[in-house]
Amino acid sequence: MSGLASVGCEPGTEIEMSSNNHAYNRELQQDARSWAAFTGSKYTAALRQMTSPFTQGLLGDRPSARHLISVLDQHPLVGTDDDGPSLSDNGFYADDPWRFNGQTDFVELVLVVEMLRMFTPTVAGQEPELSSYKLKHTAEQFLRPHCDYVSNGRLIWAAAALGLDLVDRGGSLNLSVGVSEREHHYLRRLTGSGQERPRGHQFRPPGLLHLQDALARCAAGGPLTGAWVRPASAQVGAPFHDWLTAQVGRPDPVGDIANDYTAGVRDSDHPIASTPGELLSLLYDVEPSPSFYDAAVAAIAEWMATSPEAAPIRTDLVTRDAHEVAGWGAGPGDIEVYRYRCPCGFGEIVEEHDNTPGFREHDVHIRCDRCREEWLFAAGLPVRGWGLVPAIGAGRAQAG
Ligand SMILES: [Zn+2]
C-alpha cells in the first residue's frame, strides 16, 4: 500500500535508503496532489496533512489518500453507481456534497481509519450489528481532542477503505459495520461520559492500548514505538468458564448464576473466571445474597463432580507474615503465617509454618463455621499446596 514499511527498517546501503526515501516522498506528493484536487484545497495544505505524524500508519500501513478516494468510486456498496455517488457526510445515499475544510480533513479521516482498526473485524457468517451512527459517536468520544467531529458518512468511508463488512439495512442513512459489538461496548464504557468503567478486559479492543499510546506520542511530537501486530485470535482454554456459560438457561439456581455470570462477561462487568476460585473472587466483590452464594457453591460442586479437569480451589491471599524467632537451643528459625479468604468471604483460611529447628510444624485450617461445613481440604496435598473441594461434591463422589 505504501513504501512506509521499508523506510529505515533495514540496515541497507545509503543508496537503497535514499531511494526508499525518494519513493516514499513521491508517494506523499502524489497523495497530496490527489487529495488537493479531490477536495479543492491547496497542494501545500494537503502535503502538510500527508506528512503529519498522525497519518503515517499507527495500527498498520499508512492510509493512502489515493486509496481512500478510489473507495468512493469503486467500493461495491458505497462506490459510485449509475445514479452517481452513493455516500456523503450524512450517510448512505445522502445527496449533499462532501464538506472539506482543506486543513485537517485528511488527518481526521485517517484517525477514524485508525480508530476502526483497533477492533476485531467480524468474520464470515457473523452478521454485523453495529450502526455506523453509533460508531461515529464512539469515534468522536475516543478521538477527542485530536478530532472533535466525525460525520456518519466519514465513518462509513473509513470502514469501506479498511474492507470491513458493511450491510445496508434498507432505507437508512446508516450502515451496519463489521466490527466486534462486544469490543465496541467496552470502548463505549471506557470513553463515554457517565458510563461505569469496564471491570473486565476480555473484550478490550486488541489495538486499543497501542493506539492510545501512539496518539499521545504523536500529539507530544515524540517518536513512535514499533509497529503493532494484530494478535492471533487464540482462544485461551478456560474449561470452568466454558462449562458455566454452557449452563445458561437451566431452570435452576445453577442456571441463574450461569445467566448472571455470562451477562457480566459479555458486558465487561467483570473478568472471566477460568477457575472456580476466580468465580469466588468475583463474588467477594459483589457481596452476593446468601442464595446466590449457595448457587455458586452448587455450580462449583457440580463442575468438580463432572469434570476431569477440575482442580481443588485456592482462595485469595489476604496477608503474609514471616518473623524470625530465636529458637530453643537448636538455633534460630522463623514462623510464617499466610491468611487467605475463606470461600464465603466472612472468615479465613490460615496456613502456618513453624520453621524453628526441633519444631517444624506445618498446618492449615479453616476459620469460618460456615465454610468448615461446606468445604473440605482435598486429600493428598502438601500443606503449602492445600486446595478445597465442596463437601457436597465429595459426598456425592463417595456415594457414587
Ligand atoms: Zn466462610
Side-chain angles (χ1 to χ4, degrees):
M1 207 160 132
S2 79
L4 182 70
S6 55
V7 173
C9 294
E10 295 297 321
T13 66
E14 272 179 35
I15 294 161
E16 279 167 354
M17 286 298 288
S18 72
S19 81
N20 280 341
N21 284 333
H22 181 71
Y24 178 56
N25 287 336
R26 253 182 52 146
E27 293 271 328
L28 293 181
Q29 287 158 6
Q30 287 174 346
D31 265 2
R33 253 193 305 279
S34 300
W35 190 256
F38 180 71
T39 60
S41 53
K42 289 206 169 71
Y43 170 78
T44 47
L47 187 61
R48 198 159 50 235
Q49 296 200 72
M50 298 308 138
T51 54
S52 159
F54 287 102
T55 60
Q56 304 313 302
L58 304 180
L59 290 184
D61 286 342
R62 182 182 73 84
S64 128
R66 281 165 295 164
H67 172 67
L68 283 159
I69 295 166
S70 75
V71 162
L72 291 183
D73 197 31
Q74 289 160 14
H75 190 274
L77 184 63
V78 303
T80 303
D81 62 16
D82 296 342
D83 302 327
S86 43
L87 188 66
S88 73
D89 275 309
N90 284 343
F92 192 48
Y93 280 112
D95 41 21
D96 53 323
W98 291 101
R99 296 179 294 274
F100 296 105
N101 67 14
Q103 297 296 324
T104 55
D105 40 29
F106 180 72
V107 172
E108 287 169 5
L109 180 60
V110 165
L111 286 177
V112 179
V113 169
E114 298 291 2
M115 181 266 182
L116 289 173
R117 272 174 165 170
M118 82 166 86
F119 296 108
T120 305
T122 51
V123 293
Q126 225 179 341
E127 186 76 346
E129 290 172 20
L130 259 174
S131 152
S132 55
Y133 195 72
K134 210 169 179 181
L135 265 167
K136 99 169 195 100
H137 281 297
T138 310
E140 283 171 355
Q141 284 167 354
F142 175 75
L143 292 173
R144 215 163 276 149
H146 313 294
C147 167
D148 289 329
Y149 176 72
V150 176
S151 76
N152 186 35
R154 264 168 236 231
L155 191 290
I156 296 171
W157 185 358
L162 285 172
L164 292 172
D165 211 3
L166 292 172
V167 176
D168 175 15
R169 295 288 173 210
S172 168
L173 294 168
N174 311 326
L175 296 179
S176 298
V177 181
V179 294
S180 162
E181 197 261 333
R182 291 293 102 214
E183 290 174 6
H184 173 261
H185 181 79
Y186 177 97
L187 187 66
R188 195 107 180 144
R189 283 183 69 158
L190 190 72
T191 57
S193 56
Q195 298 265 4
E196 213 186 323
R197 297 290 173 260
R199 288 188 300 262
H201 303 293
Q202 57 274 8
F203 290 113
R204 178 161 55 206
L208 172 64
L209 298 180
H210 190 100
L211 182 55
Q212 283 178 316
D213 178 65
L215 288 171
R217 285 169 184 271
C218 286
L224 292 177
T225 50
W228 178 66
V229 180
R230 184 177 291 279
S233 59
Q235 283 291 333
V236 181
F240 176 67
H241 162 83
D242 295 343
W243 176 83
L244 190 54
T245 52
Q247 312 310 313
V248 165
R250 262 171 61 168
D252 64 1
V254 173
D256 293 342
I257 197 164
N259 294 349
D260 271 39
Y261 167 80
T262 306
V265 168
R266 195 186 55 218
D267 293 340
S268 303
D269 286 332
H270 56 69
I272 282 173
S274 46
T275 64
E278 289 176 12
L279 178 66
L280 293 177
S281 294
L282 297 179
L283 289 185
Y284 296 137
D285 297 335
V286 298
E287 296 179 16
S289 67
S291 63
F292 200 72
Y293 174 75
D294 288 344
V297 176
I300 292 168
E302 188 178 323
W303 152 256
M304 293 225 166
T306 55
S307 170
E309 290 151 292
I313 287 174
R314 296 285 293 196
T315 55
D316 298 335
L317 180 65
V318 181
T319 62
R320 174 188 184 277
D321 180 47
H323 55 272
E324 292 185 7
V325 288
W328 300 91
D334 65 65
I335 292 176
E336 297 168 79
V337 182
Y338 300 87
R339 293 174 195 279
Y340 298 83
R341 278 167 165 156
C342 67
C344 83
F346 289 102
E348 58 185 11
I349 293 169
V350 183
E351 177 191 324
E352 292 171 294
H353 303 278
D354 182 344
N355 304 311
T356 318
F359 286 84
R360 301 198 184 279
E361 279 186 15
H362 304 277
D363 178 57
V364 62
H365 53 275
I366 300 174
R367 279 194 195 154
C368 170
D369 290 341
R370 172 169 192 174
C371 289
R372 251 200 316 273
E373 295 273 312
E374 292 184 347
W375 300 87
L376 302 170
F377 286 105
L381 294 175
V383 170
R384 285 183 196 272
W386 64 265
L388 296 173
V389 292
I392 44 171
R396 189 182 299 163
Q398 279 162 15

